[in-house]
Amino acid sequence: MGLVVNESAENYLETILLLSKRLPVVRSVDIANELNYKKSSVSIAMKNLREKGRITVTDAGFIYLTDEGKRIAEMIYERHEFLSAFLESLGVPADIAAEDACKIEHVISQESFEAMKRNVSTGK
């Protein structure tokens, strides 16, 4: 199971992925603003992700996902999108569905997630 990452790291990677779709470059301050975290907390997290080879940071402070970082981020994002849609299809309000998907996406096993995808139609 080579991709064991803690929930906080997964959230950061997913946030970097989403910000990279909206912004020309991603910096620590963008992540701090998006997550409403202190810049110092984000800086520590970025150092850890860099040491684990999940991101690279340029001299100018621009943050990029490595191939492994991107793989993890895309996996979490796919789970989030699927689980949100699934919960909404059950009649859960969108805001609650998104909030619950954020929690579930980090703890569900790949096996259970794949089984859900095979057996569930979310109407998308």
Side-chain angles (χ1 to χ4, degrees), residues 37-95:
Y37 290 172
K38 288 195 297 239
K39 194 170 180 311
S40 57
S41 303
V42 173
S43 295
I44 293 165
M46 294 307 104
K47 180 177 183 286
N48 292 336
L49 289 172
R50 195 175 65 241
E51 287 170 356
K52 289 189 169 79
R54 307 240 160 81
I55 62 168
T56 57
V57 183
T58 68
D59 291 341
F62 302 153
I63 299 166
Y64 298 96
L65 295 168
T66 62
D67 288 344
E68 184 185 1
K70 189 169 188 179
R71 198 166 56 244
I72 295 165
E74 287 175 341
M75 175 191 77
I76 295 300
Y77 182 64
E78 179 197 10
R79 288 179 178 193
H80 181 89
E81 291 292 286
F82 175 85
L83 292 163
S84 288
F86 171 62
L87 292 169
E88 282 184 56
S89 76
L90 298 176
V92 178
D95 57 335

